[in-house]
Amino acid sequence: MTNTVINYMELPLRGKEKAIFFLCIITAGLAVGILFYDSLAVSAVTAALLLMAMPQYKEKVVRKHQQELLMQFKDLLYSISASVSSGRNMADALAESKFFCGSSYEKSDYIMIELDHMTAMLSNGNETDTEVLYDFARRSGLSDAEDFARVYENCKASGANLNHAIEEAVRIIGDKIELENELKSQLAQKIFEGRIVGASPFLIVLMIRLTAPDYIKPMTESTQGLIITTIAVGLMAVSLLMTERINKIEI
């Protein structure tokens, strides 16, 4: 995978990620169709409708990979800052970062792949260090990477104190990344609680079906019951969508 060019905004789904998506679709389809309608046909229709959620699922997976890359990028920033402070230029700092990050990450990790790619571009002389940083920022979709590249470019162009500017940029960007990570960690509990609440109607209906199946028969065997059931399922779907939208956080 050395020197592999990755566009993190268009990462294809891995086999495991696809399997999880289709497993969730099948499970949700069966849950809606069997628990609420006693119908495999409804299960199939529900699963087919849920296939339209593939773009949203892919977007969520992309954000997950970007978050993984962001935390690795934070370590790279600290390595670059230390190297530049000791008198290294950006090309040498990136080369040294391969050894620094290599002690914490595997070759298959995103940051190691990126360091291989960036150092190869610089050693070939095809790109300047500024262009390499901007290329990484563009492909990663990380605003923090773009901010760092812009600070570095402005310092080189203006002749400002590069060591101090990079040190301050790394401190500010690092603090921002840490704050975002803390907020997402705190939000994770609320997301989990929201999903438990979203799953509770299915668990309640399952318990009723297991303990008192005759009690729910009017909901599946009469037109009025089917209408009420459909409205209830629709409201649950809307609430789940609203919960997912609320849980998105941008800093």
Side-chain angles (χ1 to χ4, degrees):
M1 298 182 68
T2 303
N3 298 341
T4 300
V5 180
I6 303 175
N7 186 339
Y8 296 87
M9 304 298 291
E10 299 178 359
L11 277 175
L13 292 176
R14 299 169 181 172
K16 181 180 178 181
E17 292 163 347
K18 290 180 180 179
I20 291 174
F21 176 73
F22 287 113
L23 179 61
C24 290
I25 279 182
I26 293 172
T27 302
L30 288 173
V32 172
I34 301 301
L35 292 179
F36 290 94
Y37 293 94
D38 258 345
S39 170
L40 285 175
V42 174
S43 295
V45 171
T46 302
L49 291 174
L50 289 175
L51 281 174
M52 294 188 295
M54 174 67 86
Q56 288 75 22
Y57 174 76
K58 186 175 181 180
E59 179 185 350
K60 185 175 181 179
V61 172
V62 166
R63 289 201 305 269
K64 178 182 176 182
H65 289 305
Q66 284 182 312
Q67 182 64 22
E68 179 184 345
L69 177 62
L70 180 62
M71 300 310 296
Q72 296 173 7
F73 175 65
K74 183 188 70 171
D75 293 335
L76 173 61
L77 288 179
Y78 291 133
S79 175
I80 290 175
S81 178
S83 295
V84 172
S85 296
S86 62
R88 305 290 195 276
N89 58 33
M90 183 58 69
D92 291 338
L94 290 172
E96 287 187 352
S97 296
K98 289 178 65 175
F99 298 99
F100 175 81
C101 295
S103 62
S104 303
Y105 297 106
E106 301 292 335
K107 275 288 185 180
S108 58
D109 287 324
Y110 289 136
I111 202 64
M112 297 305 298
I113 296 173
E114 288 302 327
L115 282 170
D116 283 341
H117 176 64
M118 288 189 282
T119 53
M121 291 175 68
L122 290 170
S123 62
N124 292 336
N126 297 328
E127 306 286 346
T128 65
D129 50 6
T130 303
E131 290 171 334
V132 166
L133 292 175
Y134 271 117
D135 173 71
F136 169 70
R138 176 185 57 79
R139 290 185 294 103
S140 67
L142 300 178
S143 60
D144 296 304
E146 184 177 354
D147 291 341
F148 179 74
R150 188 177 296 112
V151 168
Y152 180 69
E153 180 185 37
N154 291 338
C155 285
K156 285 188 66 176
S158 63
N161 188 329
L162 187 61
N163 293 349
H164 178 71
I166 288 182
E167 183 178 341
E168 281 299 301
V170 168
R171 181 184 65 80
I172 293 171
I173 293 173
D175 289 346
K176 176 178 178 290
I177 293 173
E178 283 294 335
L179 175 61
E180 182 178 7
N181 192 47
E182 288 178 11
L183 289 174
K184 286 185 176 180
S185 297
Q186 295 175 12
L187 188 61
Q189 179 65 30
K190 299 300 180 182
I191 293 174
F192 178 74
E193 292 173 0
R195 288 173 180 169
I196 291 296
V197 172
S200 59
F202 294 91
L203 298 176
I204 292 171
V205 174
L206 176 61
M207 290 183 62
I208 293 174
R209 281 191 169 277
L210 293 176
T211 58
D214 292 338
Y215 185 79
I216 206 170
K217 277 187 177 181
M219 303 302 294
T220 61
E221 295 180 355
S222 66
T223 302
Q224 185 178 6
L226 289 172
I227 292 174
I228 294 172
T229 298
T230 302
I231 293 173
V233 170
L235 290 174
M236 284 190 293
V238 171
S239 67
L240 288 172
L241 288 173
M242 291 179 64
T243 300
E244 291 298 318
R245 287 179 66 89
I246 293 172
N247 286 334
K248 287 184 179 180
I249 179 171
E250 296 291 341
I251 298 180

